[in-house]
Amino acid sequence: MKTKGDQQLVKRINRSVLLRLVRAQPGLSRARLAAESGLTKSTVSLLVRELLDDGWLDEAGASVTEGMGRPSTPLHLNVGVRALIGVEINVEIVRVVCVSLQGDVLHSDAQPHEDHRPPAVCAQVARMVAAAHRHLLASGLRLSSIGVGVPGAVHDATGVVRFAPNLGWRDVDLLPPLAHALKREGVPGVALHLQNDADAAVLGEFEFSDGEGEDPLIFVSCDVGVGAGIVLNDRVFIGAQGMAGEIGHSVLQIDGPRCSCGRLGCAEAFISSRVLEQPGGDVRRAARYLGLLLQNLWVTFEPRAIVVGGKSCEAHPEFLRGAIDTVASYAESAGLAPPVIRSPRYGAWTPAVGAAALALHEYLRPLRTNAQARRVRPVAAESLT
Ligand SMILES: [Zn+2]
């Protein structure tokens, strides 16, 4: 019998259902929450009380009368208590943001890499996170969790960075040394999450959208490496071992140029920022290959939207424009309306904001396997629950 554990899980699911409803429809009353969730009014009252006490919800504001009933109090996400920190470890730069539960960026900082070796990266990240945390404290906010995005494949069960070729990392167990570095800098031992940077980025776009979010949703990162994060059925689709979305190594040309991975003709060999920045780099030609890649993603997933970001898009606006034109011409040939392809809401900060959204995503969708749950708790200390 696992009755106690099952009851706790049911409670977490119900709390997450209520939080998601309030987030999607700010100002809902308890009665409306009960009607929308299908939970009983007494269950809703109990859970709302807990969520108020834990600083997730806020009922400040005027009471309103709904129909003939008693006046009811509108509920909102409480943005005055909790905040999240997101980190992007890029190939060239480290970005740190503080984000509210609604996705407002409260603080941001970017610094070039001092050293790619994991201990040096951990020390730099810890210093930057400590500064961000001091900013939160000065604003009277409490840190709930820290999310980190890395440009490589992260093993889902262990949290080990399996392969980050552009950092020169292979099988790096980043979370334990990072937790220690954060502790040395005086950062509280909150839950620490690690994810591939494109997977994090798509979560930022998904979780901090207006309303319920676009699903399926794809984020394509065009940087030194090229990768995709995919939200499918309300979850990040990571594949069997966390390698899904490595679209930089989908082959676009048989016997094409050699890619850093060893194959011939990979997308990265045509559209990596290293190719664009070469003397005589042909952005228009690269844009057509990006368009080819997006066309293939479109017909594979039929997403609500494809968001395309990364250094190459910021440096060369014509890169994404050309790719959109290419997809439009494929769509026209097939007699179809082209898919929605757009830039990310948070621009260059998207992976860092998405890393901050990791904890929110896990909290709002509590059905995780034990193996997955383990990797997000490297430090036994305060957590979101
Ligand atoms: Zn490749």
Side-chain angles (χ1 to χ4, degrees):
M1 290 287 284
K2 298 192 301 172
T3 311
K4 189 150 185 289
D6 290 347
Q7 282 171 348
Q8 282 174 346
L9 180 61
V10 167
K11 192 169 167 182
R12 282 198 63 192
I13 291 169
N14 288 342
R15 279 167 61 118
S16 73
V17 166
L18 298 184
L19 275 176
R20 292 178 69 179
L21 280 168
V22 172
R23 191 176 60 156
Q25 303 173 61
L28 276 184
S29 65
R30 288 167 174 79
R32 287 276 313 283
L33 270 177
E36 299 251 346
S37 66
L39 297 169
T40 65
K41 284 184 183 173
S42 59
T43 301
V44 168
S45 283
L46 192 74
L47 293 176
V48 164
R49 185 72 256 158
E50 285 183 14
L51 291 167
L52 287 165
D53 290 344
D54 290 349
W56 282 101
L57 290 180
D58 179 17
E59 60 179 348
S63 295
V64 293
T65 305
E66 289 179 342
M68 302 291 286
R70 286 185 302 163
S72 62
T73 312
L75 296 160
H76 298 270
L77 271 194
N78 190 342
V79 292
V81 174
R82 291 172 178 271
L84 314 161
I85 286 182
V87 180
E88 181 199 6
I89 299 172
N90 194 319
V91 177
E92 291 152 346
I93 202 166
V94 176
R95 292 188 178 92
V96 172
V97 290
C98 298
V99 181
S100 79
L101 295 184
Q102 283 180 322
D104 301 314
V105 176
L106 310 169
H107 167 85
S108 58
D109 182 21
Q111 293 177 18
H113 259 305
E114 292 153 8
D115 187 334
H116 273 175
R117 284 170 296 183
V121 170
C122 287
Q124 184 180 358
V125 167
R127 281 196 302 277
M128 292 174 69
V129 167
H133 181 243
R134 286 192 290 277
H135 178 87
L136 286 183
L137 287 180
S139 308
L141 292 165
R142 193 168 92 211
L143 175 62
S144 275
S145 71
I146 301 167
V148 182
V150 291
V154 178
H155 192 279
D156 192 54
T158 61
V160 171
V161 181
R162 293 160 59 96
F163 189 42
N166 294 312
L167 288 174
W169 293 3
R170 189 180 280 277
D171 294 327
V172 172
D173 195 4
L174 191 70
L175 286 177
L178 182 56
H180 283 118
L182 289 165
K183 192 176 175 188
R184 268 202 308 276
E185 293 288 337
V187 177
V190 297
L192 191 56
H193 302 246
L194 184 67
Q195 186 69 279
N196 166 267
D197 53 0
D199 289 343
V202 77
L203 270 184
E205 286 291 320
F206 183 65
E207 290 293 347
F208 296 139
S209 67
D210 302 324
E212 267 297 290
E214 300 150 305
D215 187 353
L217 180 67
I218 300 177
F219 180 89
V220 175
S221 172
C222 298
D223 223 283
V224 177
V226 176
I230 301 156
V231 166
L232 194 61
N233 296 328
D234 211 29
R235 299 271 176 177
V236 178
F237 175 71
I238 54 169
Q241 296 184 64
M243 304 280 274
E246 291 288 324
I247 57 166
H249 305 287
S250 55
V251 175
L252 298 184
Q253 185 185 320
I254 291 172
D255 297 331
R258 177 78 63 185
C259 175
S260 60
C261 74
R263 301 176 185 96
L264 296 177
C266 288
E268 260 185 38
F270 295 102
I271 63 174
S272 161
S273 63
R274 286 189 176 136
V275 176
L276 297 184
E277 286 161 11
Q278 276 169 6
D282 186 344
V283 176
R284 283 175 57 190
R285 179 170 180 269
R288 290 182 61 200
Y289 279 100
L290 175 60
L292 174 54
L293 191 61
L294 299 182
Q295 132 75 29
N296 292 343
L297 283 173
W298 169 39
V299 296
T300 306
F301 291 96
E302 201 202 347
R304 297 266 176 211
I306 302 176
V307 183
V308 187
K311 191 174 77 170
S312 300
C313 296
E314 283 138 36
H316 309 281
E318 69 274 30
F319 182 46
L320 180 55
R321 276 204 303 271
I324 290 173
D325 289 346
T326 300
V327 178
S329 82
Y330 282 121
E332 192 182 348
S333 302
L336 295 168
V340 174
I341 301 174
R342 62 173 172 80
S343 298
R345 290 190 187 86
Y346 295 96
W349 298 94
T350 304
V353 171
L358 279 170
L360 202 56
H361 185 73
E362 306 249 356
Y363 188 78
L364 295 178
R365 289 155 192 77
L367 283 179
R368 304 275 292 170
T369 65
N370 288 337
Q372 287 171 319
R374 258 204 311 275
R375 88 194 144 95
V376 302
R377 295 286 158 71
V379 193
E382 185 196 67
S383 75
L384 276 173
T385 52

